[in-house]
Amino acid sequence: MEAMDTTANPHPRKINNSYEDEEERKHFQRIVSAFRYYKPHSLQRVKKTESYLLSLPQHHQKLLSKYREHLQEVKRCIENNDQIIKLIIKDVAHIFENVCPTTAQVDSTLTPRPIMADQEKVQATIKQLVRDWSTEGTEERKACYQPIIDEILYQFPLEHCTPSDVHILVPGAGLGRLAFEIAKRGYTCQGNEFSLFMLFASNFVLNKCRDVNSYQVYPWVHQYMNNLKPEHQTQAVCFPDVSPSLPGITQFSMTAGDFLEVYTEDNHWDCVATCFFIDCANNVVQFIETIYKILKPGGVWINLGPLLYHFSDLPNEESIEPSYDAIRDVILGFGFQLEKEKTQVKTRYAQNVNSMLQCEYNSVYFVCRKPREHIDSVNYTHNESNGAQEQEN
């Protein structure tokens, strides 16, 4: 693996070389096109509603006059989001610091009509700005990120170590807030992300945003259902809630690419922190095995999240979906020592708190340690207690 950058908020380093350049270029172009198509796709959805509204009996239309005005406001919000999207994809051809620009070329003439799944990812990226970089996302971050940060501070106390000597990896870093918060405390932290949707947006926030709350998005404008009030759909959210610029001495970097392909160096990291990540695997066992290998002996893995299994039931995708109990057996089977464990941890993911529909996970939180004496055999036999210090739910 290439050496980490030591500058704060660098452009993501592209390490994934698994695709041929042409395939990589097509994929890059597809994601850029998805962002570009956001406005016409979103306005088309409003136009369909407006057309149906105009076909209703006149007395129905009259009763819905405020709703008709609301649809005009929805269109204005979409226009605003599109302005932010244009800023996000501006200069993306140069996003990766060690990739020839021709590989990430943006072809302005080639704009294939993106698939619906890609449009949903663009909308999800806008909502991710709320979760990671807004005041409105504070409660979610407190539930999801704070336990991990607190554990890092407990495992590597600032007063008893040189934090910059502690190397922490955050796979599935999303828009980078958790990795940013860890680096802000002085640790050397690297975020890793596979999704270009996330990488484009995180690059914009981390490298282009300087002033607090200088931008505005309308994250819930595509939520047409379960609105108590019309303004709940058209609510504005400002970002970033803090300046993402860090002091020059802070060691913080982002890498782009598949976690399994990027991180192949054994015994390298002091800590791996995963939040809503391990269920992003086709084969979760491979994730666990990789985390075990890349940790130094005595290194710590901190995890919090549910088991949504992103590839489950997707066409043309293979997936296994073991229960947490089965995953726990795998973790112990590789040789990890389970030090803390808590289930039923209430967490949310990019939720609109005003919606009439709420989704909440009963997540699992655990802390594992790779033994200081390296265990090579995955057939290592554990006694029943395994020395795990269970926390009461």
Side-chain angles (χ1 to χ4, degrees), residues 293-313:
K293 282 183 175 180
I294 66 176
L295 276 171
K296 293 176 183 175
V300 177
W301 173 25
I302 306 165
N303 175 80
L304 191 151
L307 292 174
L308 187 58
Y309 290 120
H310 293 218
F311 291 104
S312 180
D313 301 322

Side-chain angles (χ1 to χ4, degrees), residues 132-260:
D132 266 21
W133 295 103
S134 79
T135 303
E136 284 79 359
T138 303
E139 288 306 309
E140 274 194 23
R141 292 195 299 275
K142 192 184 292 184
C144 298
Y145 300 165
Q146 199 59 48
I148 293 172
I149 294 165
D150 289 345
E151 186 63 32
I152 289 169
L153 291 166
Y154 170 76
Q155 294 284 346
F156 310 98
L158 297 176
E159 61 273 20
H160 295 137
C161 71
T162 305
S164 60
D165 290 342
V166 179
H167 288 214
I168 300 174
L169 175 65
V170 180
L175 297 196
R177 184 62 181 262
L178 176 57
F180 168 85
E181 290 294 337
I182 294 167
K184 196 170 83 170
R185 285 157 176 82
Y187 302 103
T188 293
C189 189
Q190 184 169 97
N192 165 245
E193 180 55 53
F194 179 73
S195 164
L196 282 176
F197 292 95
M198 295 291 176
L199 286 162
F200 288 177
S202 66
N203 175 64
F204 174 68
V205 174
L206 293 170
N207 290 307
K208 306 290 176 68
C209 294
R210 286 295 170 262
D211 298 326
V212 172
N213 291 333
S214 50
Y215 298 99
Q216 193 168 268
V217 287
Y218 296 86
W220 320 118
V221 69
H222 307 289
Q223 186 177 302
Y224 290 92
M225 298 173 287
N226 290 309
N227 293 306
L228 200 60
K229 298 180 179 182
E231 56 266 29
H232 289 162
Q233 184 180 2
T234 56
Q235 178 194 348
V237 173
C238 294
F239 75 95
D241 63 316
V242 296
S243 174
S245 57
L246 287 171
I249 56 170
T250 305
Q251 299 194 49
F252 175 39
S253 60
M254 292 283 284
T255 61
D258 186 324
F259 168 66
L260 297 172

